[in-house]
């Protein structure tokens, strides 16, 4: 009898422990709650359990429903804090969140350009990042996760939980989010909460709900259902990992290595990094000798190796100084004190290539930087030694292709909506930044419909059709900048079919049709050779201007827009919503009856652009219709560029 009694007490204790009142992981000490809106607070408890919440000197109560779910909506509040939020169930100690602020909360989502960290752009803004911190700006990073089965109640634990903005906390955080929070705090003076929820390389379909896709795109939903077998996914991932490890093992066993100073490279063939590519699979070594004078010998330095495709391990005088496992990050490798010697030094790069073609990105910086300002690139350090373009080359080990079967669940439709978007609602937010599209440029045709569905299902999830969206349009970038394309890239002055321009047009059309959305045009902030341009502060400023107009002042001028078109013979006159910088304008095209586009001369004066064409009566006009429209130069008087567009003309 005593044993049964003890067992019952044990089971009761376990039951009570499992039934503790809990809140989603978004609720943490240091969080920012949205001012001026009802603030939902929700969680789980025992079915029928009373839940008490205390906040800002007031108390609220509710009862968990039959599924154990409860929710309390706090009334609208003004900005302020810090406050303490307390939640108490019937049978346990109080849950206490301290240092809670009331201000504005922004959700930043998309793929890798919203996720580019302060660490990567730091050389552009070194002095600003070093000198700025603000305890009223809080940073929250949603941990990446996927779900092929359906929506989840909560997100995974995340290493950044509402941390205050300073250099250390911002280092692994979104640069766009960082600068947006800083800019909006400067405008409003109220606390700012930045939630970043992004995943590099993901298509828009991954962020849309199943209910939004299933009627019009049933095959997309079935594609995800193919991966609902956890056993299959786990086995495939293990197989891919084992194959990759075996490939790397065989590569290392067969690569003799050429990093040491003692290696004789005199007879190696010489290549020029401006136009070199290696189409093999395996490893290839490049070596460059550099002479260091007495003044620089022994000093710490930073080696800038531009950007490389794909993996590299880099050595100086036989010692590894850095490695990068994929193509996009800039190579910035720190050289410790004492490693550089007077006289001959050797930089050795081991390229590891599983696909495509190994190559340098020539337009990036390649140099040794010395002095206290060696980590800055804006401006460049004063004391530098440029590297030469010529390298000695030798193949390390050639390999067969590494066998693999793509199992990237984050790229499947609905998986990110299920795991990392759905659980965030109904946390009150002030607006959404959507910065995505690069992964959809290969098939831009359905993007406008996808984007409308995304905005619709997110607003439905928050039960708020007025949530403002800022859509960040794709920056300029040469879409041919893919693995193995002949280098250097040449300009494309003639009219072209551009997947990047088509996707920008989809973004423009959707934003224009939605009175709670704006388009942040950044076709002047990209880089020809880098899909991750570094000028993220300027991107954040364009986003902030859009929110200024959506939320605070609808008279704010953004990107110039065409509001009227007049055809006079073969000439076209475009009237804009604002004056633009005057003079000759470039990248305008008009189409003939065969829908073939031709370059035309254009002149801007006031708010009118005149297209001068004497050959035929045009049927359509378009502007900046290129992957990388470097010559596009229509600007507002404040310097904001006009979006690319394609408009059919009425005869």
């Amino acid at each position: 009898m005593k044993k049964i009694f003890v067992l019952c007490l044990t089971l009761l204790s376990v039951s009570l422990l499992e039934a503790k009142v809990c809140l989603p992981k978004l609720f943490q000490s240091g969080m920012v709650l949205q001012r001026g809106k009802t603030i939902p607070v929700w969680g789980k408890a025992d079915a029928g359990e009373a839940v008490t919440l205390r906040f800002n000197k007031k108390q609220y109560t509710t009862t968990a429903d039959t599924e154990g779910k409860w929710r309390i909506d706090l009334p609208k509040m003004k900005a302020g804090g810090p406050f303490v939020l307390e939640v108490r169930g019937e049978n346990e100690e109080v849950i206490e969140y301290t240092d809670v602020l009331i201000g504005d909360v922004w959700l930043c989502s998309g793929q890798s350009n919203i996720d580019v960290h302060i660490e990567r752009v730091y050389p552009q803004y070194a002095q600003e990042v070093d000198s700025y911190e603000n305890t009223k700006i809080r940073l929250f990073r949603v941990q990446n996760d996927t779900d092929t089965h359906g929506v989840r109640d909560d997100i995974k634990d995340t290493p950044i939980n509402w941390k205050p903005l300073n250099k250390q906390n911002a280092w692994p955080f979104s640069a766009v989010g960082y600068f947006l929070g800083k800019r909006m705090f400067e405008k409003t003076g109220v606390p700012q909460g930045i939630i970043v929820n992004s995943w590099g390389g993901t298509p828009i379909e991954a962020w849309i709900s199943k209910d939004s896709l299933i009627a019009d795109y049933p095959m997309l939903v079935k594609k995800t259902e193919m991966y609902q077998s956890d056993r299959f996914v786990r086995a495939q991932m293990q197989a891919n990992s084992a194959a990759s490890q075996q490939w790397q093992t065989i590569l290392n066993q067969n690569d003799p290595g050429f990093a040491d100073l003692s290696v004789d490279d005199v007879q190696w063939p010489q290549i020029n990094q401006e136009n070199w590519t290696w189409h093999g699979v395996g490893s290839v070594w490049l070596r460059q000798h550099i002479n260091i004078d007495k003044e620089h010998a022994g000093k710490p330095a930073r080696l800038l190796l531009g950007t490389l495709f794909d993996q590299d391990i880099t050595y100086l005088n036989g010692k590894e100084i850095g490695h990068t496992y994929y193509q996009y990050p800039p190579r910035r490798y720190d050289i410790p004190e004492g490693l550089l010697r007077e006289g001959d030094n050797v930089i050795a790069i081991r390229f590891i290539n599983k696909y495509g073609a190994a190559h340098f990105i020539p337009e990036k910086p390649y140099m040794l930087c010395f002095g206290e300002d060696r980590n800055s690139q804006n401006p460049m350090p004063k004391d530098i030694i440029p590297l030469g373009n010529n390298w000695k080359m030798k193949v390390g080990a050639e390999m067969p292709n590494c066998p693999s079967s793509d199992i990237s669940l984050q790229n499947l439709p609905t998986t990110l909506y299920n795991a990392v978007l759905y659980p965030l609602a109904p946390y009150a937010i002030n607006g959404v930044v959507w910065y995505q599209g690069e992964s959809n440029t290969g098939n831009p045709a359905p993007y406008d419909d996808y984007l409308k569905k995304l905005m619709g299902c997110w607003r439905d999830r928050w039960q708020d059709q007025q949530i403002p969206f800022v859509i960040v349009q794709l920056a300029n970038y040469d879409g041919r900048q893919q693995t193995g394309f002949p280098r250097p890239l040449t300009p494309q002055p003639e009219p072209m079919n551009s997947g990047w321009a088509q996707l920008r047009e989809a973004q423009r059309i959707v934003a224009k049709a939605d009175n709670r959305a704006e388009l942040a045009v950044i076709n002047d902030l990209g880089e020809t050779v880098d899909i991750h341009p570094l000028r993220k502060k300027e991107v954040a400023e364009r986003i902030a201007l859009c929110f200024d107009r959506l939320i605070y002042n609808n008279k704010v001028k953004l990107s110039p827009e065409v509001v009227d078109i007049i055809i006079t013979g073969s000439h076209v006159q475009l009237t804009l919503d604002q004056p633009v910088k005057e003079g000759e304008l470039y990248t305008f095209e008009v189409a003939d009856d065969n829908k073939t586009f031709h370059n035309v001369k254009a002149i801007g004066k006031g708010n009118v652009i005149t297209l001068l064409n004497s050959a035929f009566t045009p049927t359509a006009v378009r502007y900046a219709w290129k992957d990388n429209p470097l010559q596009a130069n229509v600007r507002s008087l404040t310097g904001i560029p006009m979006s690319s567009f394609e408009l059919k003309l009425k005869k």
Side-chain angles (χ1 to χ4, degrees), residues 351-373:
F351 283 83
I352 298 174
N353 201 44
K354 290 186 176 181
Y355 65 98
H359 61 270
F360 294 84
I361 306 299
E363 295 85 347
K364 294 289 186 176
Y366 294 84
M367 61 186 67
L368 281 168
C369 303
F370 297 86
E372 293 182 358
D373 63 347

Side-chain angles (χ1 to χ4, degrees), residues 446-458:
Y447 193 85
D448 60 341
D449 191 41
Y450 288 160
L451 185 52
K452 285 184 284 189
K453 291 182 185 301
L454 178 137
M455 294 164 68
C457 72
W458 287 26

Side-chain angles (χ1 to χ4, degrees), residues 9-10 20 29 41 69 73 143 173 186 198 248 275 371 413 430 470 507 511-512 523 585-586 622:
L9 283 177
T10 302
K20 272 192 172 182
S29 292
V41 181
K69 298 179 180 180
D73 287 344
Q143 185 76 6
F173 194 77
E186 290 169 353
S198 58
Q248 190 70 47
N275 52 28
N430 207 32
V470 171
Q507 294 171 319
K512 189 174 180 62
N523 60 29
L585 304 172
Y586 303 103
R622 65 189 187 187

